Amino acid sequence: MDESEAYSSEDEDISLTGSDFEFQLTTSKRKLNSTQEAASPKRVRHPSVSGSSQSQTPEESQGLRPRSAQTDGRATACHLYEAVRSGRSALLTVIDDWLEEYRRDREAGILELINFVVQCSGCKGVVTREMFSRLQNADIISQLTTEFNEDSVSYPLVSVGSQWRRFSEGVCEFVSLLVRGCRNSLLYDDFLFSSFIALLTGLADSQVRAFRHTSTLITMRLMSSIVSVAAEVNAQAQMTRRRCELEKNKSVEHRAIDRIEELEDSYRELLEHQEDLRSLMNGIFKGVFIHRYRDRVPEIRAVCMEEMGVWLRENPASFLNDEHLKYVGWMLHDKQAAVRLQCVLTLQKLYVEKDFISRLELFTSRFKERILCMILDKDSDVAVETVKLLLLIKQQTEEGLSEEECAAVYPLVFATHRGLACAAGRFLYHTLCSVLDGRSDKCSVSVLRLLAHFFIESEYHEHAAYLVDSLWDDAGVELKDWELMTSLLLQESGVEDELESALIDIMMCAVRQASEAMPPSSRVQRKNLTAREKRLQAQERRRITNHFIPVLPQLLAKFSADVGKVSCLLRAPLHFQLEVYGTSGRLEKSLDLLLSQVCDIMLKHREECVLEACVRVLCALCSDCYSFCGRAERAVSQLLDSTVEKFSSNLAEILQGSADEDDLYGAASSLNILAIFSSARDLTGRNLFEFCFQLLKMGIETREINEKLMVPALKCSVFHLFWNGTKIKQHTPARDKAELKRVMKALHSFCVVCQSCLSVAQSRIRNQAFVCLCDVLLVFGKLCEGDGSPLQLFSPDDSLKAEMASFIIDYVFSEPDEDLAGEEECEEMKMAALLQRRNQLAGYCKLIIYGVLELRAATDILKYYNKFYRDFGDIIKETLSKSKMISSVESARTVCLCLQQLFSGLEQDRRDEELSEIRLLAKKLALNFSINLRLIRKPLLALHQDGIRFASQGLDKGDLMNLSFLEILSEFSFKVLQPECKQLSLYLRRVFASVINSEFVKMYERSLTSGSKETPAAAEKPSRKRRRTHSLTSRLETPAVTSHTRRVDMDDDFTDGSVLRKSVIHSRQQSSPFSQSIQSHLSTLSLGHEDASEDEEPEIEDYDDEDSELGIALPSTHGSASFLEDLFQ
């Protein structure tokens, strides 16, 4: 029989009987009738070796056996099982002892082997000699199933604990050594392996998961061992045939007839062995693999794919063909990540072998699209290994991946998952190196240039740190070549401006990575550094310091006019070993040069990013822990003195009204510097608050508001108040009172000015004033209930509270500017504006949460919960959650008050439309109440009572306008328990006795009746719907599922037309992920889901899982303030 026919897709159409499958070994001396094989699928009953003819007892005829027989059977199998379970015995010796016993009594030996499998499955039953001789495999398995311990869902292969950790490996090692021990004789007899495999095939078809899993694992490892033996036999047969031919080709006088006959006999014997092994493999493949590779249990499917990889590698002549590769390709679509991962690992081991590439060409072309989709797999491990597989395909094949297909992998260097990003970085680095064509003389320079170009084209210009971290393991030599990078930046000819910016950004990120030895913050943090890593980190910091101390002033001098470049370069000193500056006079000159450059840059620029970078450097150099801090303090003091003097002179001209443009520009520049310094240093001794307050007061009174002066004046004033508050805590109590009184007076004046600024036309002043108010009230505001810190003495008046609430309504809960809508270039501006509005709302919410504003101030926020859910839903929901922790009853009353205010503001011409919107808001607010109904009994009761009272207003005067509010209130009825429903019904009938027949009253009463729960105990813990499961264990965590791109007619993948099978494919059209641009990959990292059904093999049976979206995350392109933890902490 031709080998390719033995594993063709026609095998899948063979009907197998599972446990009753029979293996018939064919040899050249013994031909069996194929008709008889098909007609007799039952296992042959083997006569007893001992020849005993004892009569069978009635109990034995029913499949039962005496206790003595059970004890003997278990004792014989216990030796093998305990040897494997303990892991302390030498398995080779155990197998040798078993082989000796088998040669003495083969039926007893195979019974010991079968009972070993039964024990490995966790079954307490025993197969006796009588059962084995007289019962069919199906009957034996049925009886074992009845004796299985159904109280436990665990069995040895999935048990946890130290004693079971290596059990699976021990079982596989036992099976491998058993086959190796039998490879010369017993592997080819008609009894041992045919009987053993027949029973394993039946167990693999069992409904009991333990039997199915254990027998599949043993059978698959048995198959792998037989495949290895078959490969050796094939090699021996080829060698024997060549030796025989060489002997025949000799001349007659040198030809040895006896030798030729010996070689021919040996060759015929090897051919018989080949046929026997092929029959065994064919039987296992059809009887077990064809059914179990699509088993409902993912662990079984993963075992099949793992062992299939062994067959493909060990015996490529028989297995490395399209008829077997297709199974691996099909399982790339599996819903369980463990199975997909095993398929990818199997393919990696195939593509790494250069000799296999020609056999994989058709497979590559057929399944390449699916592999490319798997780089976006929901499971990160699958995505990582897929990228590694694509790199192997690219390296091993001439045209394995096109440029478009490679472009699909590149954006993953910015992924937040570090393993995936590093795999993509390795892919990118090898691609860049392949472009150079081996030009090693300028390799580093070229790699850096190509890397900078890639960073520019990626359009993720804020995330160079992610790119550097992704390439750190592979391109670390180039990224840490500080001399080369700085020489490129300082050379006279220079490079393009855009390339310079990218190179500086990459260099500074590499400096940070080398000095901190940590990935970016949003990627998974490593554990504590080892001693070796700390030593290497210190060496890198020393090397960075020694190189950049003389070079950094030159770079700052060259790029001092460029805002982006200089602000980036100023990050370098923060990673120096700054104590080095005090070790020698030459380095102190470098320190003076650096201080001079930084001070000059501060005087040249007004941009906040540059000024903040300069202040960070100067504050780091002024630290008391360095011996040279005095020199840095003198430089900073001189800078501040000159700045304050310049500001004072310009301010005098401004207050007198004689200032020109130069005076205004000078004052604004000086005040910017002072405001940034105030955030980092205590400048209260320079009395800047008086100057700033005069400036603010004049701007408000004269309405001649200069935005460039007012904004830094507000910042400087608020930091002055904060520094004064800090000093009050450090002073003695006697000085505290006088100082605190002065601070409270200044605070009151400042709040009055800020309140006036809330209504000005300039948005920057308005926004800055609101932020300042939120900050000072949070620090100094008096709590509504309880005592706060000694500084919290300021009570905001009602007019200030109303002004702040109006600001939130007018400028936070407002639609975006219509002029900006639809313009692509304004997307970034709109996102920045949204981020600012989110920060303002979060600041106001913190005042409510921390008790500065009363809880009912949240009504102005809750009104917009539904309308602005997309922009502010998370903040409002978190505020509502925190308010429940403060007072659940007051929180519920606040919700009701919010709805009452909206109801009172209904317009008559749009009443129905607005009423439906209020009902939708009420429905959404009701969902925020806890699912534990016992905890919300009092809050809901208070909410309903307040609502009923509101609806009853005006009844004594005959006004029924508020009655329709009961329709809104009914949205909260479904969470009210039965006792409260009765109480509310009585209260409702008492209040609305005069209008009890009103449709609104009846509708509300019906909602209480239909929405009530039976008992609080039933509502305390919602019952979880039981899900039917077919597995006997669920201790192992179920891997995440992924959606699939397309299921195809899988049997037509590798056939030449001789085997045609029908399949019906229902799929949604989806564009290939690598046919889009880089930006489309970054914005739509998702896999399309397409449903398909097939008539035959490719479908995986009976999944209990559902598809889900992928989980590849890219770093946010916006500030961290968009996250709740940054907003509320």
Side-chain angles (χ1 to χ4, degrees), residues 559-569 605 607-610:
F559 301 109
S560 60
D562 192 300
V563 175
K565 295 173 184 175
V566 75
S567 60
C568 192
L569 286 169
H605 291 275
E607 292 79 7
E608 284 191 16
C609 60
V610 178

Side-chain angles (χ1 to χ4, degrees), residues 9-200:
S9 56
E10 293 178 352
D11 297 338
E12 301 168 21
D13 297 327
I14 296 177
S15 176
L16 302 175
T17 58
S19 61
D20 294 328
F21 187 87
E22 178 187 5
F23 294 93
Q24 299 295 339
L25 299 180
T26 59
T27 63
S28 59
K29 297 181 180 179
R30 177 170 48 88
K31 302 295 184 180
L32 297 180
N33 192 317
S34 58
T35 306
Q36 293 176 354
E37 291 181 25
S40 177
K42 303 295 183 181
R43 180 177 61 83
V44 177
R45 297 179 181 177
H46 299 282
S48 174
V49 176
S50 60
S52 65
S53 57
Q54 296 176 355
S55 61
Q56 188 179 19
T57 65
E59 290 182 345
E60 292 170 345
S61 64
Q62 298 177 9
L64 303 175
R65 60 245 186 245
R67 182 173 299 275
S68 60
Q70 293 186 22
T71 306
D72 294 342
R74 180 165 293 277
T76 55
C78 239
H79 174 58
L80 298 179
Y81 176 73
E82 288 299 326
V84 171
R85 187 184 66 83
S86 64
R88 292 187 294 269
S89 304
L91 291 182
L92 193 58
T93 305
V94 173
I95 290 173
D96 289 340
D97 295 341
W98 178 84
L99 287 174
E100 291 180 5
E101 181 181 349
Y102 177 80
R103 292 187 178 95
R104 290 194 301 268
D105 186 349
R106 69 174 189 173
E107 189 166 330
I110 196 169
L111 280 175
E112 185 177 358
L113 197 59
I114 291 173
N115 284 315
F116 164 74
V117 176
V118 173
Q119 282 189 292
C120 288
S121 302
C123 180
K124 296 181 179 179
V126 177
V127 180
T128 63
R129 188 184 296 268
E130 289 76 18
M131 292 171 60
F132 183 74
S133 301
R134 302 180 182 277
L135 297 181
Q136 298 293 333
N137 283 338
D139 299 329
I140 294 175
I141 295 171
S142 176
Q143 186 165 331
L144 291 174
T145 303
T146 60
E147 298 184 4
F148 202 93
N149 181 18
E150 297 182 359
D151 297 334
S152 173
V153 297
S154 181
Y155 53 95
L157 282 184
V158 297
S159 297
V160 294
S162 57
Q163 60 177 340
W164 304 108
R165 191 172 301 144
R166 298 190 70 256
F167 181 76
S168 177
E169 298 177 10
V171 171
C172 294
E173 183 183 358
F174 174 84
V175 174
S176 300
L177 292 176
L178 175 64
V179 175
R180 298 297 295 177
C182 301
R183 69 184 184 276
N184 293 325
S185 57
L186 297 179
L187 191 58
Y188 311 106
D189 71 1
D190 295 339
F191 179 75
L192 175 58
F193 282 94
S194 60
S195 302
F196 186 47
I197 293 174
L199 186 68
L200 287 175

Side-chain angles (χ1 to χ4, degrees), residues 416 465-466 512 516 518-525 1120:
T416 53
Y466 290 87
R512 186 208 65 82
E516 297 180 2
M518 295 294 288
S521 57
S522 61
R523 285 188 175 165
V524 179
Q525 296 291 333
S1120 61

Side-chain angles (χ1 to χ4, degrees), residues 3 230-246 263 266-268 270-271 274 278 315-318 359:
E3 292 180 5
E232 296 177 4
V233 171
N234 292 342
Q236 293 174 5
Q238 292 177 7
M239 182 177 295
T240 304
R241 182 174 56 82
R242 287 196 300 268
R243 292 171 63 184
C244 184
E245 291 176 354
L246 288 174
L263 290 173
S266 178
Y267 182 64
R268 281 192 296 271
L270 290 171
L271 289 180
Q274 282 183 338
R278 187 179 297 113
N315 196 349
S318 301
R359 296 172 179 260

Side-chain angles (χ1 to χ4, degrees), residues 124-357:
K124 296 181 179 179
V126 177
V127 180
T128 63
R129 188 184 296 268
E130 289 76 18
M131 292 171 60
F132 183 74
S133 301
R134 302 180 182 277
L135 297 181
Q136 298 293 333
N137 283 338
D139 299 329
I140 294 175
I141 295 171
S142 176
Q143 186 165 331
L144 291 174
T145 303
T146 60
E147 298 184 4
F148 202 93
N149 181 18
E150 297 182 359
D151 297 334
S152 173
V153 297
S154 181
Y155 53 95
L157 282 184
V158 297
S159 297
V160 294
S162 57
Q163 60 177 340
W164 304 108
R165 191 172 301 144
R166 298 190 70 256
F167 181 76
S168 177
E169 298 177 10
V171 171
C172 294
E173 183 183 358
F174 174 84
V175 174
S176 300
L177 292 176
L178 175 64
V179 175
R180 298 297 295 177
C182 301
R183 69 184 184 276
N184 293 325
S185 57
L186 297 179
L187 191 58
Y188 311 106
D189 71 1
D190 295 339
F191 179 75
L192 175 58
F193 282 94
S194 60
S195 302
F196 186 47
I197 293 174
L199 186 68
L200 287 175
T201 304
L203 288 172
D205 201 37
S206 171
Q207 294 297 317
V208 180
R209 173 175 174 170
F211 281 150
R212 207 165 67 250
H213 188 183
T214 307
S215 59
T216 301
L217 174 66
I218 293 175
T219 308
M220 292 297 100
R221 181 48 63 99
L222 189 67
M223 174 77 165
S224 298
S225 302
I226 293 174
V227 167
S228 300
V229 173
E232 296 177 4
V233 171
N234 292 342
Q236 293 174 5
Q238 292 177 7
M239 182 177 295
T240 304
R241 182 174 56 82
R242 287 196 300 268
R243 292 171 63 184
C244 184
E245 291 176 354
L246 288 174
E247 193 67 32
K248 289 180 179 180
N249 291 334
K250 293 181 180 179
S251 58
V252 177
E253 58 272 14
H254 295 94
R255 187 182 304 166
I257 303 301
D258 296 338
R259 178 61 174 165
I260 292 175
E261 292 179 355
E262 181 183 352
L263 290 173
E264 288 178 346
D265 291 341
S266 178
Y267 182 64
R268 281 192 296 271
E269 183 181 3
L270 290 171
L271 289 180
E272 292 175 3
H273 288 175
Q274 282 183 338
E275 190 64 26
D276 293 343
L277 295 175
R278 187 179 297 113
S279 181
L280 283 175
M281 293 187 295
N282 195 21
I284 294 176
F285 190 82
K286 294 176 182 179
V288 179
F289 179 85
I290 288 297
H291 296 282
R292 298 282 68 80
Y293 89 94
R294 54 180 186 170
D295 193 277
R296 73 174 66 239
V297 180
E299 290 85 354
I300 296 178
R301 302 199 300 273
V303 165
C304 291
M305 290 300 105
E306 181 181 5
E307 298 303 324
M308 169 63 84
V310 176
W311 310 341
L312 296 171
R313 295 193 308 274
E314 292 291 332
N315 196 349
S318 301
F319 287 93
L320 191 56
N321 51 56
D322 300 329
E323 294 301 329
H324 294 89
L325 283 169
K326 65 183 179 184
Y327 295 103
V328 182
W330 290 345
M331 300 309 289
L332 290 174
H333 296 267
D334 196 275
K335 291 186 178 182
Q336 292 295 329
V339 183
R340 298 194 305 274
L341 178 61
Q342 194 57 61
C343 292
V344 174
L345 294 175
T346 295
L347 292 175
Q348 284 181 6
K349 295 173 182 177
L350 295 178
Y351 278 98
V352 78
E353 298 290 340
K354 194 71 175 178
D355 298 337
F356 293 167
I357 299 301

Side-chain angles (χ1 to χ4, degrees), residues 816-827 830:
D817 192 350
E818 294 295 334
D819 296 335
L820 296 179
E823 298 181 10
E824 294 183 3
E825 61 273 9
C826 296
E827 284 297 323
K830 288 193 288 186

